[in-house]
Structures are given as structure tokens and as C-alpha cells.
Amino acid sequence: YEMRQWAVAFTGRGTEKRSQEDYDRARERFESTKNTPKPEVRVTLWDQREFNTDSEEFIPFFQASPKITNGLQEIMDPEFDVIEFAGKVGRHLAFPSVAIKLFDLNSLFESMNIPLKKFSLFVMRIRDGYNAIAYHNELHGADVAITMNRFLMSGLKDVGQMNELEVFSSIFAALVHDYNHPGFNSN
């Protein structure tokens, strides 16, 4: 909630639409999904078979699924709800779908010469490194990355004269910032 309030102050958008009740409802929705068991095989996403990253048959899940492509159309909207998105597409697909979409929006695959197949596997490994805890989980990582991308797109990239490496680093850092977080504070 505090991060969103800071974002509203920074961008001047969204003040009239979100309330504490909205956040409480989102927290309740998250709590209802946090105990959902993760699939045993996390990489088997294409026709229930493992894919070979060198195969010509590779079809990225985020392009093959209308639920994902339709759900990500509003990713730049301040009202985009990653928890709601995860409920629609499956929690195991939300984080990699968001990561790939953000890199695509910033043309990082082309400018940084990042192979999509390998990146897809890599972000699934990152997702698997997030712990199943109430807050510092993969959905929080995706939400922070979306917020960082909004900052970049709303002028930070231009004002800071950021190059592709700095944009990459900003989004990537947001995606992994709570990787393997145990869920406890410093006390």
C-alpha cells in the first residue's frame, strides 16, 4: 500500500481509484490463493510435455494463451491487479508472463540480444526461487516490476537518460528483489 501511495505521489495518477478497502480485498484474494499447491512439473507448459529450448516448435505460453495475452493488455494501467491476473491464468504463469511482457514492452529482447527461449526458462527458475509466503512472493516481485516499469515509462527513463542496460537492470532488480526471502524481518 505504501509503495502505491508513493507511486501516486510520484506520477500524480490513481489517487481517486484505490482505497484501503481495495487493498484489503486484494489481500483477502491473495490469502485464498497462497496455499494453492504448485504444480510438480513447472516447466512442462506446452501440451503437457517438456520442451527443448533448441526446438523450432517452441511456442511461448504468453503468446499461445488468449487468457494471458488479454490479461496483459492492461499491464500499464495503474489499476492492473497482478493477483487477479494470477487468478485468471494460473499463479505459476503470472510471474514469467509479466517478466516477459515487461522486457518486450521495453524492447529488451532485441536491444540486449536476449534469447526468448532461455529467458523464459530463466524467469521460471526465478519464480521457483520465491518462497510460498504471504507477502515476499513471486506475485509481489511481479507487482514491484510492473510499478518500476510504470516509473520508467512515465518519464524516469527520459529524465535519467537511461540506456538499455540501466532499464534492464531496473526491471530485473525489481523482479528478483525478494528472491528466496524467508518472510521474516531483521528482528
Side-chain angles (χ1 to χ4, degrees), residues 3 5 8 12 17 20 33 35-36 45 50 58 63-64 70-72 81 85 88 97 112 129 133 145 158-160 167:
M3 177 86 168
Q5 292 301 318
V8 166
K17 295 188 180 179
Q20 184 62 46
T33 64
N35 293 323
T36 304
L45 302 173
E50 290 188 35
F58 177 82
Q63 292 176 349
N70 292 338
L72 289 174
D81 187 337
F85 174 69
K88 290 177 184 174
S97 298
M112 300 292 293
I133 54 179
D158 297 329
V159 170
V167 171

Side-chain angles (χ1 to χ4, degrees), residues 60-75 80 85 89 97 101:
F61 57 88
F62 66 95
Q63 292 176 349
S65 169
K67 282 184 181 178
I68 294 174
T69 54
N70 292 338
L72 289 174
Q73 286 179 352
E74 304 298 323
I75 197 166
F80 182 81
F85 174 69
V89 303
S97 298
K101 180 67 174 183

